[in-house]
Amino acid sequence: MAGALDGLVVLDLSRILAGPTCTQMLGDLGATVWKIENPKSKGDDTRAWGPPYVRDVDGNQTDLSAYFMCTNRNKQSVAVDIATPEGQELIRQLAVRADIVVENFKPGGLSKYGLDYEGLKVVHPSLIYCSISGYGQTGPNREKPGYDLMAQGFGGIMSLTGEADGQPMKVGVGIADVMCGMYATIGVLAALRHRDQSGEGQHIDVALVDTQMAWLINEGANFLTSGQLPQRRGNGHPNIVPYEVFGTSDGHVIVAVGNDAQFRRFCDFLGLAELADDVKFSTNPARIENRLELIPQIATRLNDYTMDEVIAGLEAVKVPVGPVNTLDRALGSDQAKARDGVIKMPVESAENGEVSLLGNPLKFSKTPVSYRTSPPRFGEHTEEVLAQLQQTEVT
């Protein structure tokens, strides 16, 4: 089956994580993606962000780091030096044949080459051009470099993350980059809808810091409504108690008590029915006010049980509960297998002929995602793509 974006062409001038997240998503949905890589630096910086790396059949390290592979399947790698007049001309020729350009240079970084939106829309008015940066194309910080950690710090999420008496903490993966890439994808799809209706292209300006602030979600709304700065609570929830991680005798579980009826059943399971009758804990607002008294009592009792006992016992009484899985348990679970959470793709040069990657979570009934090409070696498709250019010019 053809993908939803089959027939569309994306010119990917991005690297690292946010831009490649967007373009891989477009590729998974069926678009052809030309990934432009700098021959002077031997490609995307993340090719060198290892270990681990894929090893070739002789056991030698390749340029396929795990980091690079996580966002670069369904792409064709084309080696072009855009700092040269010849490279700039090739990019212009490719852009004219593309529907979408995605780039993450510093604001104004491509204007000196005539490859910014203003330069390319002259020759391709219906082009959709998405610029990803740290702080956006405007504002006092537009010139500052954008890194995921900086965005998490500036945008506020680190102030909410971590133990109450510990340091502010970043999220364990580059979530500001990833979510920025997701917002960029939404923007591109909306711009495609507009272009299909009007014939007009447009420029999309999306920033790591803007998008990180946008997904502060309930904590952002809590602050804007109350004027009170939220506090770090570790794994605790600002508006629901108990809703956090608890230790057991052999691991950790998540207990997510969403209402007062669930709290009563939870207390009955623990043999602490008196807590549900106590006015200090019988309602969620009361539990929030008295969480420092309540949580230690729950935590002490849960330590008497194993993970499996807690999960089975609370599931039986319909109290939301789940494990804190390590990655081997998460990705090896029956649920992950049933939902194609991990996929395998062939790589001829790889030691065992294939690589394992995380699957795309979107499930379509008519236009499913597809895994057509594995993450490319640097410059692997240069001759193929440039030959297509020449064929188009001849015809």
Side-chain angles (χ1 to χ4, degrees), residues 152 155-163 167-169 212 215-220 223 229-236:
Q152 290 195 42
I157 192 65
M158 285 180 66
S159 74
L160 310 178
T161 307
E163 295 297 335
Q167 282 190 335
M169 296 293 290
Q212 196 267 269
W215 53 260
L216 288 171
I217 312 298
N218 59 303
E219 284 284 43
F223 167 70
L229 285 174
Q231 302 300 307
R232 290 194 303 280
R233 298 182 180 87
N235 290 308

Side-chain angles (χ1 to χ4, degrees), residues 233-364:
R233 298 182 180 87
N235 290 308
H237 194 285
N239 304 109
I240 311 171
V241 174
Y243 190 105
E244 59 186 88
V245 173
F246 292 95
T248 67
S249 63
D250 61 350
H252 292 83
V253 295
I254 297 166
V255 176
V257 173
N259 57 51
D260 298 337
Q262 289 178 0
F263 181 67
R264 179 169 292 279
R265 297 197 298 273
F266 176 54
C267 291
D268 288 343
F269 166 77
L270 293 178
L272 297 172
E274 67 276 9
L275 293 180
D277 295 322
D278 191 325
V279 293
K280 292 185 293 184
F281 312 127
S282 59
T283 66
N284 187 63
R287 292 193 293 277
I288 291 173
E289 184 176 349
N290 297 291
R291 75 166 74 217
L292 294 180
E293 183 179 349
L294 173 64
I295 294 301
Q297 297 182 64
I298 295 172
T300 298
R301 185 59 61 90
L302 281 169
N303 263 317
D304 295 335
Y305 298 84
T306 67
M307 281 180 61
D308 289 343
E309 287 172 342
V310 173
I311 291 170
L314 292 184
E315 284 181 345
V317 296
K318 295 182 168 44
V319 173
V321 63
V324 178
N325 280 331
T326 52
L327 294 194
D328 56 335
R329 294 185 58 154
L331 299 180
S333 67
D334 290 342
Q335 182 68 18
K337 291 174 183 175
R339 301 284 291 174
D340 296 322
V342 176
I343 62 167
K344 293 186 182 296
M345 298 192 72
V347 174
E348 288 184 10
S349 60
E351 199 169 23
N352 59 359
E354 64 182 14
V355 295
S356 295
L357 302 170
L358 299 177
N360 190 304
L362 295 174
K363 314 298 179 187
F364 292 85

Side-chain angles (χ1 to χ4, degrees), residues 33-109:
V33 181
W34 294 330
K35 181 178 179 68
I36 305 303
E37 299 196 72
N38 186 349
K40 289 182 178 176
S41 61
K42 297 183 180 179
D44 191 313
D45 292 355
T46 62
R47 287 187 182 275
W49 287 10
Y53 298 93
V54 170
R55 298 279 173 177
D56 65 20
V57 292
D58 297 318
N60 299 313
Q61 177 180 305
T62 71
D63 61 0
L64 295 176
S65 69
Y67 200 116
F68 174 82
M69 291 193 298
C70 77
T71 56
N72 284 290
R73 64 170 171 251
N74 286 333
K75 301 181 185 182
Q76 297 173 302
S77 174
V78 184
V80 177
D81 184 357
I82 67 171
T84 67
E86 297 80 12
Q88 293 155 26
E89 180 56 28
L90 280 175
I91 296 299
R92 275 188 284 273
Q93 292 178 35
L94 291 169
V96 167
R97 291 158 179 80
D99 299 278
I100 303 153
V101 170
V102 177
E103 61 91 5
N104 64 348
F105 285 75
K106 287 180 65 174

